[in-house]
């Protein structure tokens, strides 16, 4: 996802903009740039690749000025080149943009008297605005008029030649924060970008646009009416970006899991069991529809087992990009549950909009309570994971599971499908989870012993049964996204229906299997792999290891856990395997190639 910053400062802004862009690096990008106004003159500098390339360019050819905008671009329309990098300039205006201008072709055709130099959708915004300036409009009016003609999703910031004290900012579909300082003002994609400058933040709402000057901000709603938006003080820890002594944010986030899960469970626990911040009566519900993307989809897929087994509640789980176009019938007695770390994933948001007015209730399990998905839901269930910087989601997955487990237990109680003893047992098992995760983290050295070998593989299979099947898919996703090794997750029982054809000694098979009611069947699947020279890395508990016997390539023994909650514990070795394999491969763990932290485009 692209990142935006803007500064109307008291000092030279170029270094401040670059520092702020560094804090947005976690979102993923492939080029970056800044524009400043100095003595009324607009100038810009852009570079492909990491921010260090932009910094180097600025060392050789500095940009002066106390007002500026900056951008990290994740290429959508047009490749990652200097020409396509933001800010885009047309005459007297420079623009940075996050999102997609859907009607950019139509606008380009309308502006055929102008010369376009990039392949981007964003350039049309700058050209259109310059066209209005040519017609004699003021910068404020030109930007306002431009916004009226844009379809799609955007966060935008405009900077104008001759205007040293104005940034026009706008939000539709992509979040944008205004930061308040002493005699200086800021614009940022999120509060994290602005953390070192200010923690006094006003979030624009959908359709808002704002005239930002050093004296403050004038916000207008989609209809152009003056709007009052709350200004909040963001707690310092919510915008802190440090690796806490770890080599990568991902490692820090893996090791934070016992603490953040404990916080999350505490948030939903009362003396009487589970409590959520609002009313949902699952006894009146005929179906739960879970919708999400990526890792959040795998958390939702684990939860399907929980809702069905514990609460006996029929449950669908869908990938958001499929759900929205499948046009599924939605019962007015159903609960629709959207799971998203960022709360901004375009497909998940669109799927949510599809069920609005159809489902009885819309619940959002999110990490960012100010996000679009949270705002458009009936009830927000925060996962309390804190900022997740690593593109590969780890602690957010854990806490999504924490919230969903609580919700399934609540549903089971309301529907009378578990008795008080089983509920107490499950809650005790959940409370014990952070401690068990600590024990799993202590096995890191044992994981490391085998990851050098794993890093030589071209393809890896993960197997699991029951709620461990979605975890197998999550383990495969973690490995492929950060190590670039091809990996697939399969239901163990599905192996002989095709994937077993892949097995030979070059394809490691990681089996995630606590000793549960189906363990002997999983052992048979392992035997099938080993009989074909396959190398099995079994992750199990002591009873499972004893029953599986010899012949595995590696065995990792985790503490015993209630099998239904096992995906939470077994997620930890899956994450560590991916992380250490990636370390061996020397890939960019926190910002893997081609990926963005949050995917705000379709
Ligand atoms: O912010 P979201 O949870 O909606 O993001 C969904 C996926 O894009 C995300 O989980 C992605 O798959 C991660 N890179 C997985 O590690």
């Amino acid at each position: 996802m692209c990142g935006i910053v803007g500064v109307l400062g008291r000092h030279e802004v170029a270094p401040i903009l670059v520092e702020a862009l560094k804090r947005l690096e976690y979102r993923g990008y492939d080029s970056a740039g800044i524009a400043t106004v100095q003595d009324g003159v607009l100038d810009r500098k852009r570079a492909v690749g990491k921010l260090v390339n932009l910094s180097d360019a600025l060392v050789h050819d500095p940009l002066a000025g106390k007002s500026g905008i900056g951008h990290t671009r994740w290429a959508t329309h047009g490749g990652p080149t200097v020409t396509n990098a933001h800010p885009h300039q047309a005459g007297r205006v420079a623009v940075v943009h996050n999102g997609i201008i859907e009607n950019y072709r139509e606008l380009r055709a309308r502006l055929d008297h102008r010369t376009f130099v990039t392949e981007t959708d964003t350039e049309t915004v700058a050209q259109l605005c310059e066209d209005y300036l040519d017609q004699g409009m003021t910068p404020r009016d030109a930007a306002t008029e431009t916004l009226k003609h844009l379809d799609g999703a955007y966060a935008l910031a405009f900077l104008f030649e001759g205007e040293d004290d104005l940034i026009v900012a706008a939000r539709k579909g992509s979040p944008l924060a205004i930061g308040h300082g002493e005699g200086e003002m800021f614009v940022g994609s999120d509060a994290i970008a602005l953390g070192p400058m200010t923690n006094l933040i006003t979030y624009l709402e959908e359709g808002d646009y704002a005239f930002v000057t050093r004296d403050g901000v004038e916000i207008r709603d989609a209809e152009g009416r003056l709007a009052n938006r709350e200004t909040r003080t963001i707690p310092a820890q919510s915008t802190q970006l440090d690796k806490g002594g770890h080599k990568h944010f991902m490692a820090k986030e893996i090791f934070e899991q016992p603490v953040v899960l404990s916080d999350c469970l505490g948030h939903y626990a009362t003396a009487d069991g589970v409590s959520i911040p609002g009313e949902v009566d699952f006894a009146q519900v005929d179906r739960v529809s879970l919708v999400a993307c990526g890792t959040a989809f795998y958390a939702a897929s684990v939860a399907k087992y929980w809702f069905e087994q514990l609460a006996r509640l029929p449950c669908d789980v869908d990938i958001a990009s499929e759900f929205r176009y499948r046009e599924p019938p939605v019962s007015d007695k159903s609960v629709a549950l959207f799971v998203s770390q960022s709360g901004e994933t375009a497909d998940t948001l669109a799927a949510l909009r599809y069920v609005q007015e159809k489902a009885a209730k819309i619940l959002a399990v999110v990490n960012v309570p100010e996000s679009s998905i949270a705002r458009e839901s009936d009830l927000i269930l925060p996962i309390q994971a804190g900022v997740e910087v690593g593109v590969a989601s780890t602690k957010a997955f854990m806490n999504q599971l924490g919230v969903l487990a609580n919700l399934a237990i609540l549903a089971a109680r309301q529907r009378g499908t578990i008795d008080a003893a089983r509920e107490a047992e499950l809650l005790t098992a959940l409370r014990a989870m952070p401690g068990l995760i600590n024990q799993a983290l202590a096995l890191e050295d044992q994981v490391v012993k085998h990851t050098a070998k794993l890093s030589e593989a071209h393809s890896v299979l993960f197997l699991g049964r029951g709620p461990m099947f979605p975890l197998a898919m999550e383990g495969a996703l973690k490995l492929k996204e950060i190590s670039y090794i091809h990996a697939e997750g399969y239901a163990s029982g599905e192996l002989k229906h095709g994937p077993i054809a892949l097995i030979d000694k070059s394809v490691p098979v990681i089996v995630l299997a606590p000793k549960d009611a189906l363990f002997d069947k999983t052992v048979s699947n392992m035997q099938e792999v080993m009989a074909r020279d396959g190398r099995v890395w079994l992750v199990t508990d002591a009873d499972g290891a004893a029953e599986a016997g010899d012949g595995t390539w590696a065995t990792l023994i985790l503490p015993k856990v209630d099998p239904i909650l096992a995906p939470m514990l077994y997620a930890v070795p899956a994450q560590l395997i991916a992380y250490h394999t990636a370390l061996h491969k020397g890939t960019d763990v926190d910002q893997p190639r081609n990926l963005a932290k949050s995917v705000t485009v379709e």
Side-chain angles (χ1 to χ4, degrees), residues 8 53 75 93 100 104 156 198 202 242 246 252 266-267 282 322 325 338 341 346 395 399 419 532 547 555 559 580:
L8 296 174
N53 300 341
V93 58
I100 286 187
Y104 80 103
L156 283 163
T198 182
T202 309
D242 82 283
H246 291 273
K252 177 195 170 212
H267 190 76
F282 284 99
E322 288 299 312
Y325 294 115
F338 296 86
Q341 187 284 128
K395 63 175 180 171
N399 279 21
D419 59 20
R532 286 158 184 85
E547 185 169 330
T555 301
H580 284 287

Side-chain angles (χ1 to χ4, degrees), residues 226-248:
L226 267 180
N228 250 326
R229 305 294 181 218
E230 186 195 348
T231 298
R232 343 176 180 169
T233 306
I234 306 293
Q237 68 270 23
S238 319
T239 58
Q240 254 160 22
L241 282 189
D242 82 283
K243 293 182 189 151
H246 291 273
K247 196 167 175 198
H248 295 99

Side-chain angles (χ1 to χ4, degrees), residues 50 195 213 223 225 342 366 431 485 575:
K50 293 288 175 193
T213 64
E223 268 69 54
R225 296 175 297 230
S342 62
V366 288
R431 273 197 297 275
I485 294 173
Q575 296 162 349

Side-chain angles (χ1 to χ4, degrees), residues 316-466:
D316 304 314
V317 54
D318 272 275
I319 292 171
S321 54
E322 288 299 312
F323 180 86
R324 57 183 294 197
Y325 294 115
R326 190 158 58 83
E327 297 182 15
V330 178
S331 154
D332 59 6
K333 287 208 187 100
S334 68
V335 160
L337 220 163
F338 296 86
V339 187
S340 173
Q341 187 284 128
S342 62
E344 300 295 344
T345 302
D347 285 315
T348 311
L349 182 59
L352 185 155
R353 289 178 179 155
Y354 172 77
V355 302
Q356 260 161 357
E357 315 292 322
K358 297 188 183 85
K361 200 125 198 170
I362 298 178
L363 272 51
V365 176
V366 288
N367 199 23
V368 184
E370 303 83 21
S371 62
S372 306
I373 289 173
R375 284 160 183 266
E376 296 193 27
S377 300
D378 299 322
L379 185 58
I380 306 171
L381 302 171
I383 63 167
Q384 309 280 116
V387 183
E388 187 178 67
V389 176
V391 163
S393 186
T394 52
K395 63 175 180 171
F397 177 72
M398 184 62 73
N399 279 21
Q400 286 161 352
L401 291 179
V403 173
L404 292 165
N406 271 304
L407 208 58
I409 293 169
L410 177 72
R413 188 211 299 154
Q414 289 175 343
R415 295 169 66 82
T417 50
I418 53 171
D419 59 20
R422 179 65 178 139
E423 182 180 344
E425 195 175 69
L426 284 166
L427 290 173
T428 305
L430 264 184
R431 273 197 297 275
M433 195 60 75
L436 297 182
I437 290 171
N438 257 326
Q439 292 179 42
L441 289 168
L443 302 176
E444 187 181 23
D445 286 350
Q446 292 187 41
V447 170
V448 174
K449 274 188 204 154
H450 302 286
T451 45
K453 204 83 202 123
L454 200 69
S455 69
E456 292 164 10
H458 290 290
S459 196
V460 175
L461 291 185
F462 285 75
L463 300 181
R465 270 180 191 273

